Amino acid sequence: MPSFKLDGKTIPFEPGDSIIHAADRQGIEIPHYCWHPGLSAPANCRMCLVEILPAPNQRPIMLDILHWDAAAGAYKPVQKPKLQPACQMGAVDGMEVKAETSPHVKDARKTVQESLLLNHPVDCPICDQAGECKLQDYWLEYQKTPKRMRDEPVHKPKGVVFGPTIVYDAERCVMCTRCIRFMEEDAKDPVLDMRERGNLNEIMVAPGRQLDGHYTFMTEHVCPVGALTTVDFRFKARVWFLKSVPSICQGCATGCNAHLDYDPRNNRVYRYRPRDNEKVNKYWMCDEGMLTHHRAHEGRVLETTVSGRVASQASALETVKKLFEGAPKESIAVVLSAQHSLEDNWAMRELATAFLGTTSFFVAGMAEGYEDRILIHKDKNPNTAGVKELCAGARPFTELLTEIAAGRVTHALALGSRTPPIDPKDLATLQSLRGLVAIAVDEGPLVDAAQVVLPATSWAESAGTYVNAKGLRQQAERAIHPLGSARPAWEQVIHVARALGFEMGLSKLREIRAKLLVSDVAAPAPASTPMTTTP
Ligand code: SF4
Ligand code: SF4
Ligand code: FES
């Protein structure tokens, strides 16, 4: 593999890599604003300048400059090497690059920082990016000097509503053009551009348009400073209070890798951010997916109920026993869920096949929806492929209604979270069951019709494995503690089994995982992944 030296360290690179990308692969950050591994490189911020040493027999490129001599109180003509943007210079085998070890580079970084902050409002205390802002980080690392300019800074538009999801603050913008390039290159909707020149520059939305579509949140995500904020997260939390776990988006079968950010102080989930995975979602997520973090708290089933009334777990399980007493196994249906993890579905299938002896399986989940050729899958469930893996013969939820109406199914055990919407006639069909037990995360028809509802933890409250549309097994880690009386669905299944007189011999998630032979599950990134919105 070809390599070059960066500050004396050997950096291997792949053909076509820029210096910054090769260094980034080795975990070495060359400071940058405009560069992003998923976007083209305009080299307009100049923060990544490095000194490339001339090869033997090559003349160095030198620049004539005026240097302020404080002792003499005058500028003196001197020469310095011409620095190069590491984001645009391709790596060359054997080249020698100086960054941290070059006084010229250090000086350049400091100067670029000072120039970017010249007209910046420095309103960090009220800025949502504070704590994960490149301007803050690089000021501390490379500048550390107070503002020298005494003039009134240039004022620009603030709180500009770009569309239903994004608000723009031109005074905080460093004109890196990442947002423009993301919309053009990845969202395929070139709706943003830059207008004016010099310190009057600002980002604008194309006349007659607003920033909308399915990938607007990504403009905020790629923005290295607090110039773009999402209506969803704006003024909701200070990021230094948030913790993060590696998670899997619940929005569709693509299974985008994500960081789920939550505040342990109030046990609340606040946002989703993309987690880089070249094989699944590269660096991106869609708006609908990023908003699925709300499902951790909205529309939840948090209490155990019997016939619609809050009940204790013991009395609910006693009712389960009575409801299923004497029910012939041929008339018991089991509903798996494409919304639930592999572990939850495995426990349900195990109870059905190994103990109840039923083979009547159905699968519930959300109805199909919008799809595109970028990320979004028409299957709006994170684990349809997982359910198919466990139970290839599971029939669609609508067929359950037919079976009930025909009298062939009289009892059902259901992972009852999220189904396609059903009409009142179908709800009445579900209600006609002599026994319906729903282990559910969210409200929905199965919960409305069930005699017994056992609340289940959401993906945010319990770890789980999800199989995406490409058949990739991926794990989501637990973020918050269980809400209300919710318990992991697999645990509720074990309780139901016990109420029905079966001992499944399981009590831990790892025991189910061992049964599932999920040792090949893609290991998530470490939970301590640094809290940053942009690479
Ligand atoms: S809004 Fe953000 S991403 Fe867009 S140009 Fe300004 S600083 Fe860059
Ligand atoms: S494409 Fe699907 S998995 Fe990815 S963020 Fe969007 S909804 Fe979530
Ligand atoms: S990161 Fe290289 S010029 Fe901006």
Side-chain angles (χ1 to χ4, degrees), residues 168 172-180 203 219 222-225 227-228:
Y168 175 60
R172 293 178 187 159
C173 178
V174 294
M175 300 300 155
C176 69
T177 71
R178 280 183 178 193
C179 54
I180 298 174
I203 302 300
T219 60
V222 295
C223 183
V225 299
L228 294 175

Side-chain angles (χ1 to χ4, degrees), residues 209-450:
R209 276 287 313 271
Q210 57 174 357
L211 176 59
D212 54 13
H214 295 274
Y215 295 93
T216 63
F217 278 48
M218 280 301 95
T219 60
E220 182 272 347
H221 178 69
V222 295
C223 183
V225 299
L228 294 175
T229 45
T230 62
V231 173
D232 188 53
F233 185 67
R234 198 171 151 81
F235 305 136
K236 297 285 191 324
R238 305 309 305 189
V239 297
W240 49 86
F241 290 127
L242 300 184
K243 297 251 181 277
S244 182
V245 291
S247 186
I248 301 298
C249 175
Q250 299 292 296
C252 82
T254 302
C256 290
N257 292 206
H259 297 288
L260 188 60
D261 294 343
Y262 65 100
D263 190 335
R265 299 171 309 160
N266 58 5
N267 203 37
R268 220 182 154 77
V269 167
Y270 278 89
R271 68 176 176 181
Y272 249 150
R273 289 173 296 126
R275 186 158 53 92
D276 302 352
N277 187 331
E278 201 55 48
K279 284 194 200 131
V280 182
N281 50 308
K282 295 190 177 149
Y283 312 95
W284 320 124
M285 286 176 78
C286 74
D287 291 2
E288 290 79 4
M290 289 185 79
L291 285 168
T292 57
H293 75 82
H294 285 288
R295 293 189 195 168
H297 300 284
E298 290 170 9
R300 288 290 305 276
V301 169
L302 295 177
E303 296 299 341
T304 310
T305 58
V306 174
S307 304
R309 295 228 171 105
V310 176
S312 67
Q313 174 91 353
S315 72
L317 292 173
E318 189 57 35
T319 311
V320 172
K321 186 178 164 193
K322 283 192 194 135
L323 285 173
F324 278 73
E325 228 156 39
K329 64 180 183 187
E330 303 75 36
S331 59
I332 300 177
V334 168
V335 183
L336 304 177
S337 173
Q339 285 279 316
H340 278 255
S341 68
L342 211 50
E343 292 84 346
D344 293 349
N345 280 293
W346 179 87
M348 197 60 138
R349 189 200 64 176
E350 187 70 0
L351 169 61
T353 51
F355 299 100
L356 290 174
T358 177
T359 50
S360 180
F361 285 103
F362 298 86
V363 55
M366 286 178 65
E368 288 187 350
Y370 172 84
E371 68 174 332
D372 64 23
R373 297 167 73 90
I374 302 172
L375 279 180
I376 304 173
H377 201 286
K378 66 179 177 193
D379 177 0
K380 300 300 166 195
N381 301 289
N383 203 22
T384 302
V387 174
K388 275 200 191 127
E389 228 177 69
L390 289 174
C391 189
R395 289 185 279 161
F397 180 67
T398 45
E399 288 190 23
L400 172 68
L401 300 169
T402 315
E403 293 295 296
I404 299 169
R408 287 188 288 272
V409 168
T410 56
H411 293 74
L413 281 177
L415 283 177
S417 309
R418 293 182 190 267
T419 63
I422 60 172
D423 60 26
K425 183 172 80 46
D426 291 335
L427 184 62
T429 306
L430 279 178
Q431 282 166 333
S432 72
L433 282 166
R434 272 181 250 153
L436 172 58
V437 175
I439 297 171
V441 178
D442 313 291
E443 290 156 1
L446 282 160
V447 168
D448 293 344

Side-chain angles (χ1 to χ4, degrees), residues 34-35 39-46 87-88 176-178 181:
C34 70
W35 179 76
L39 300 172
S40 59
N44 62 14
C45 75
R46 316 311 279 178
C87 63
Q88 227 180 31
C176 69
T177 71
R178 280 183 178 193
R181 284 175 284 137

Side-chain angles (χ1 to χ4, degrees), residues 11 26 96 183 373 396 437 441 465 530:
I11 310 287
Q26 299 305 307
E96 263 196 67
M183 287 309 294
R373 297 167 73 90
V437 175
V441 178
T465 307

